[in-house]
Amino acid sequence: MTALHTSDRLASTVLLEKIDKLRERNISQHVPLTQLVAVGDQSSGKSSLLETLTGLPMEHDVDLCTRFATQITSRRDPESRVTVTIIPGPDATDDHKKRLSNFTFDSLTIENFRKELPSIMKQANVAMGIRTDFSSSKGKVFSKDVLRIEKRGPDEDYLTVIDVPGIFRNANEGVTTTEDVGLVIEMVKQYIQDSRTIILAVLAGNGHIDNQEILTLASQCDPTGERTLGVLTKPDLVKEPSERQKVCDLVLGKKRPLTLGYYVVRNCGPDETLEEWRADKTLEMVPWSGLPKERVGPSALRTRLRELSEQLTRREFPKIRQQVKAELDATRQLLDGLGQSRQSEREQRLYLSDVARKFQDAVKAALNGWYSDEAVFEKSTMRLITHIVNLSDDFHDSFTQFSHLHEFENTGGETTPSTESSFSRTEHRVHGDICYHAVKTVLNGIDLDLYPELDGIVCIDDDLDGPDENTMDWIHAMYMESRNMDLGTFGGNVFSMAFKKQSTKWGGMTRTYLSKAILLVHQFIADALDMACPDTRVKEMIWSAIVDDVLVRYKAALDQAMLLVKVEREKRPYTLNKEFSEKLQLAQGSRTAALIKAAGHPKSNASPFDKSITVTPNVIKAAAANQSNVERVNQEIHDKLHAYYDLALCRFVDNVFQQAVDHGLLTGPSTPLAVFDQDWVINLEAEQLEDMAGESEASKSRRGILARKVEDLTVAMRILK
């Protein structure tokens, strides 16, 4: 049983040492640690109590207001010595930490420590930067730094107590101010508010206990009284029987009960020798002799404090370790969310290069239709090639149906050349509607007001009128206004005029097509940049830097499309495509067949299922002779225009897609998608890098705080293993 107890004590000591190491690393600013905190009024006897508990002399100057906390630690060690250092506060700068590292009093004896204490306290104030001359505004009023006093010796038991400044109510001219009263109270609250803190509330037994503010503060931070231990001092000065009874009632739990109870301790007085204090029999007299022995005297209190500290640490240690790990993981995640550091030119270039790489990865995926990334599914505009293909299909179908000003005539009752394809006219519209609605949904989701830079480039007009059906009337009028003295023919100028007139809508429809394609590309660039760069400021700087070049490339693609329109409409119509002759001959053959069919008559005695007709050469001559010269020329103009228009349309639509959209906007060397890449980043000057990728002061500060926290918690995890 004794071996087990000894083993438990040794294990508890190890845990207590770990907690002290965490406290020295200021881990308490991140995760609350177990601790004993002594609080009380300046006249409560707190300093004397700590001296009694630790065997160390403490500052008793009633005119001195301590402006920092003091951590007093006892440790068992073969060699007796006292060491004094300062633990930097959680907000300490590197310079302040370096200055405090020079504050060290090592290997002091108890007697040397007693002699040096006034000087040590003054030097501590100076090292912490605390104001000592209140006629000056230089220096801090209070410090978050902690004076650490460690006492080692062969007879010491492990115990750590944190002493905070004593509470006072009245300012002391030249030493304290009325503002200091509130500052001390706030400092005390900060130390005792956490649930892992045992509050050692020191009360002067000879004072008005009900009026001592520390009980009020303790009850505010510990409403149930579960972690507050009351210590009643100066029992020898309690003279009135009624006041003695009040003290006894507290210890016996009859008044203001605390779960941890109250203890009565008579401290060694400032003018009393250690021998005189030990010989004092106050606590052996009535009424103190009637109190439970385990509640009376410094030895009983010291034993109880050690037990409480060990119990609390054993209970909370696994929780602290778990909390430190969770806090470390969360802090690392926050730090990762800031991206890589961007302090130096190299870091800035690497950061922007990584953003450019991610952007180009998105471009590659979008152009190849690789949509496995979850972000692509969430953002429809990232499916660029799909929308471009749907848009181009809709352009082809719309162009086939609406681009000619006048509807071509059916030359012989068969399917007209303009509709000879894998789609019938109805199928064209059905297929076009599918593509149109697929891409319209995406385009409608793009807010043009967000991109004022596209003004003057993007121009969308979807109001298309169908072709005029009075085609032959139009051809006749145009011919009559342009005919010359050629017998039964028409000049090339007439054909050029007819084609140019028939293709009047090409420019507007092509500009709308390119505008939609540009809008899809522009939205993609914005969304891809948004995915690649989480830092809003940097993203806006990149966008600002590339947008002019992007717009130039949009304009180049649009100019290429308009050049194709001009070439097709302004040049003399000509084609090397043999299909032109085939289409023309088919149209002329259809017209002849229609004339013959109209001139013939059914066979005599033919069955109802026999649709053949009888035609003689004379009938054919007569049918052909019925046409006027002008009528024949008009039909020839129509058929040649129809044959040529169909070929020119297919050639033009392909060229616009290949040269302006695919080459100009998507895959060519001057595509706007290639403006922002790693080569662009490499060519940035150092000043440009700093302006664009350098971290803001807020971001630098945030990164520094998180980095230091990660460092602290990483060390804490090593300590807690």
Side-chain angles (χ1 to χ4, degrees):
M1 198 67 173
T2 304
L4 180 63
H5 178 69
T6 302
S7 176
D8 286 345
R9 288 296 303 277
L10 290 174
S12 297
T13 299
V14 171
L15 298 184
L16 289 169
E17 288 180 342
K18 289 179 180 290
I19 295 298
D20 269 354
K21 288 180 180 179
L22 294 181
R23 192 176 291 110
E24 291 166 19
R25 294 286 305 188
N26 266 314
I27 303 303
S28 58
Q29 66 178 310
H30 309 307
V31 175
L33 303 176
T34 57
Q35 57 186 5
L36 295 176
V37 178
V39 293
D41 290 350
Q42 278 189 338
S43 59
S44 64
K46 181 164 60 71
S47 297
S48 297
L49 175 66
L50 293 174
E51 185 171 331
T52 300
L53 291 174
T54 63
L56 285 169
M58 303 300 294
E59 182 61 61
H60 289 276
D61 189 348
V62 295
D63 293 327
L64 180 64
C65 173
T66 306
R67 300 178 181 275
F68 49 82
T70 303
Q71 176 184 312
I72 308 164
T73 299
S74 300
R75 290 186 179 181
R76 183 161 296 184
D77 193 275
E79 181 183 353
S80 296
R81 66 183 186 277
V82 177
T83 302
V84 184
T85 55
I86 296 177
I87 302 173
D91 302 328
T93 62
D94 291 338
D95 289 342
H96 189 63
K97 290 178 182 178
K98 184 177 180 180
R99 184 164 60 252
L100 294 183
S101 66
N102 296 323
F103 181 91
T104 302
F105 293 84
D106 198 8
S107 301
L108 295 171
T109 64
I110 297 294
E111 288 305 316
N112 286 339
F113 177 74
R114 186 185 301 276
K115 292 178 182 178
E116 297 288 339
L117 183 57
S119 174
I120 290 174
M121 296 297 286
K122 290 180 181 179
Q123 292 182 58
N125 277 276
V126 173
M128 294 181 189
I130 293 174
R131 185 189 312 168
T132 54
D133 181 5
F134 284 86
S135 62
S136 170
S137 59
K138 294 182 179 180
K140 297 179 288 187
V141 177
F142 286 90
S143 175
K144 294 182 180 180
D145 302 327
V146 177
L147 184 69
R148 182 175 181 272
I149 304 174
E150 182 183 74
K151 179 187 179 187
R152 290 178 176 265
D155 299 324
E156 297 295 328
D157 279 322
Y158 203 101
L159 181 66
T160 296
V161 180
I162 297 174
D163 178 31
V164 295
I167 297 171
F168 59 95
R169 295 171 182 79
N170 300 312
N172 187 348
E173 186 176 353
V175 179
T176 59
T177 66
T178 53
E179 287 80 10
D180 293 344
V181 176
L183 289 173
V184 169
I185 291 176
E186 288 304 314
M187 189 175 187
V188 171
K189 285 182 178 179
Q190 289 176 7
Y191 267 93
I192 66 175
Q193 63 187 354
D194 189 75
S195 61
R196 289 179 181 146
T197 296
I198 293 176
I199 304 171
L200 193 62
V202 184
L203 308 163
N206 65 327
H208 297 288
I209 295 176
D210 293 337
N211 295 332
Q212 295 191 39
E213 194 167 358
I214 187 55
L215 284 180
T216 302
L217 289 179
S219 64
Q220 291 174 357
C221 298
D222 178 28
T224 60
E226 293 180 350
R227 53 187 184 85
T228 302
L229 186 149
V231 180
L232 298 157
T233 63
K234 306 180 182 180
D236 52 320
L237 300 180
V238 184
K239 304 300 183 181
E240 295 293 328
S242 60
E243 294 300 320
R244 291 184 176 186
Q245 188 58 48
K246 285 182 181 180
V247 172
C248 291
D249 287 344
L250 287 172
V251 176
L252 295 173
K254 296 179 180 180
K255 186 178 180 182
R256 300 190 73 159
L258 298 173
T259 302
L260 300 180
Y262 293 84
Y263 287 72
V264 177
V265 175
R266 181 189 178 274
N267 302 314
C268 183
D271 300 323
E272 189 177 21
T273 65
L274 189 61
E275 289 73 18
E276 290 173 336
W277 172 70
R278 287 174 178 169
D280 185 78
K281 303 297 183 180
T282 298
L283 296 179
E284 297 178 9
M285 300 178 182
V286 176
W288 320 123
S289 60
L291 296 175
K293 298 299 182 184
E294 66 274 13
R295 294 281 175 176
V296 178
S299 295
L301 177 60
R302 189 185 301 111
T303 300
R304 181 56 175 152
L305 291 178
R306 189 168 56 246
E307 289 174 350
L308 286 173
S309 183
E310 291 173 356
Q311 291 170 6
L312 180 64
T313 301
R314 282 199 303 270
R315 186 186 72 204
E316 295 295 323
F317 193 84
K319 299 177 186 177
I320 292 174
R321 182 161 49 194
Q322 184 179 13
Q323 195 171 349
V324 167
K325 184 180 184 306
E327 194 71 17
L328 177 59
D329 292 342
T331 307
R332 282 174 172 164
Q333 189 173 0
L334 290 173
L335 187 58
D336 291 342
L338 294 178
Q340 60 200 80
S341 176
R342 308 195 303 272
Q343 306 290 331
S344 66
E345 178 184 340
R346 179 177 179 276
E347 289 175 337
Q348 292 163 3
R349 205 176 295 278
L350 284 174
Y351 173 78
L352 276 187
S353 182
D354 185 57
V355 172
R357 177 189 60 77
K358 291 177 181 176
F359 177 84
Q360 286 302 322
D361 285 347
V363 170
K364 187 175 181 180
L367 294 180
N368 288 281
W370 298 338
Y371 302 146
S372 58
D373 194 297
E374 183 177 345
V376 174
F377 285 104
E378 296 177 356
K379 201 77 172 176
S380 174
T381 49
M382 295 296 290
R383 305 182 189 186
L384 181 60
I385 196 62
T386 297
H387 300 317
I388 291 292
V389 169
N390 285 333
L391 175 67
S392 300
D393 275 358
D394 176 62
F395 174 63
H396 172 269
D397 295 338
S398 297
F399 217 76
T400 301
Q401 294 184 74
F402 300 112
S403 66
H404 44 292
L405 191 63
H406 300 280
E407 188 70 80
F408 287 106
E409 190 179 67
N410 188 324
T411 56
E414 304 296 333
T415 303
T416 59
S418 63
T419 57
E420 283 183 352
S421 67
S422 59
F423 295 104
S424 69
R425 186 172 293 275
T426 301
E427 288 170 335
H428 261 300
R429 188 63 261 159
V430 171
H431 178 260
D433 283 345
I434 294 173
C435 296
Y436 173 73
H437 289 298
V439 76
K440 183 179 180 182
T441 302
V442 179
L443 289 169
N444 285 345
I446 301 175
D447 187 357
L448 265 174
D449 291 338
L450 296 176
Y451 306 117
E453 64 271 15
L454 295 179
D455 289 348
I457 297 178
V458 169
C459 180
I460 298 176
D461 182 9
D462 281 326
D463 294 332
L464 296 176
D465 294 327
D468 184 358
E469 295 182 355
N470 298 320
T471 308
M472 295 309 296
D473 293 341
W474 160 65
I475 290 177
H476 175 74
M478 182 183 59
Y479 172 67
M480 295 303 292
E481 292 173 358
S482 308
R483 64 190 302 192
N484 55 30
M485 294 180 64
D486 293 334
L487 295 176
T489 63
F490 60 91
N493 185 52
V494 174
F495 188 74
S496 295
M497 288 173 55
F499 180 77
K500 187 173 183 179
K501 188 68 174 178
Q502 186 73 326
S503 60
T504 300
K505 300 179 187 177
W506 283 26
M509 294 182 70
T510 302
R511 188 177 187 91
T512 293
Y513 169 51
L514 261 293
S515 295
K516 290 179 179 179
I518 288 170
L519 193 54
L520 289 171
V521 171
H522 203 63
Q523 184 66 55
F524 169 82
I525 292 175
D527 290 340
L529 192 57
D530 192 52
M531 289 177 58
C533 184
D535 190 310
T536 301
R537 190 191 70 84
V538 176
K539 178 181 62 181
E540 290 175 351
M541 292 291 290
I542 294 173
W543 182 263
S544 178
I546 68 173
V547 68
D548 287 344
D549 198 2
V550 168
L551 295 178
V552 167
R553 299 187 184 204
Y554 290 159
K555 187 69 166 53
L558 184 59
D559 288 346
Q560 178 63 27
M562 292 299 101
L563 175 62
L564 292 173
V565 173
K566 183 177 181 180
V567 167
E568 289 289 351
R569 298 189 67 232
E570 300 292 339
K571 74 177 182 63
R572 184 174 180 177
Y574 187 75
T575 180
L576 298 175
N577 193 329
K578 293 181 179 180
E579 285 190 30
F580 174 73
S581 295
E582 296 173 0
K583 287 177 176 290
L584 181 58
Q585 291 169 12
L586 179 61
Q588 292 173 342
S590 296
R591 288 190 181 278
T592 301
L595 288 173
I596 293 172
K597 183 177 180 180
H601 53 82
K603 290 182 179 180
S604 59
N605 301 321
S607 69
F609 302 103
D610 188 354
K611 301 298 182 181
S612 60
I613 59 174
T614 300
V615 180
T616 65
N618 290 332
V619 172
I620 296 174
K621 290 179 181 179
N626 289 334
Q627 281 188 311
S628 68
N629 188 51
V630 172
E631 184 180 3
R632 185 180 56 77
V633 172
N634 288 343
Q635 289 178 351
E636 186 178 354
I637 294 173
H638 173 279
D639 294 344
K640 284 187 177 181
L641 180 61
H642 194 178
Y644 181 79
Y645 188 92
D646 281 354
L647 295 176
L649 181 148
C650 292
R651 176 180 64 213
F652 173 75
V653 169
D654 275 351
N655 285 341
V656 169
F657 173 76
Q658 294 290 346
Q659 297 181 38
V661 175
D662 186 36
H663 185 78
L665 293 178
L666 302 181
T667 61
S670 295
T671 167
L673 298 173
V675 170
F676 179 56
D677 60 8
Q678 290 174 306
D679 287 342
W680 182 87
V681 174
I682 290 172
N683 290 318
L684 289 174
E685 299 292 339
E687 185 176 346
Q688 292 175 299
L689 272 174
E690 176 63 33
D691 291 341
M692 189 174 301
E695 292 183 280
S696 64
E697 290 303 319
S699 180
K700 289 178 182 178
S701 175
R702 176 70 169 159
R703 184 185 297 279
I705 291 171
L706 292 174
R708 288 191 294 272
K709 187 174 179 179
V710 166
E711 181 183 355
D712 289 345
L713 294 173
T714 301
V715 172
M717 285 303 298
R718 287 200 294 266
I719 293 172
L720 292 169
K721 286 183 178 178

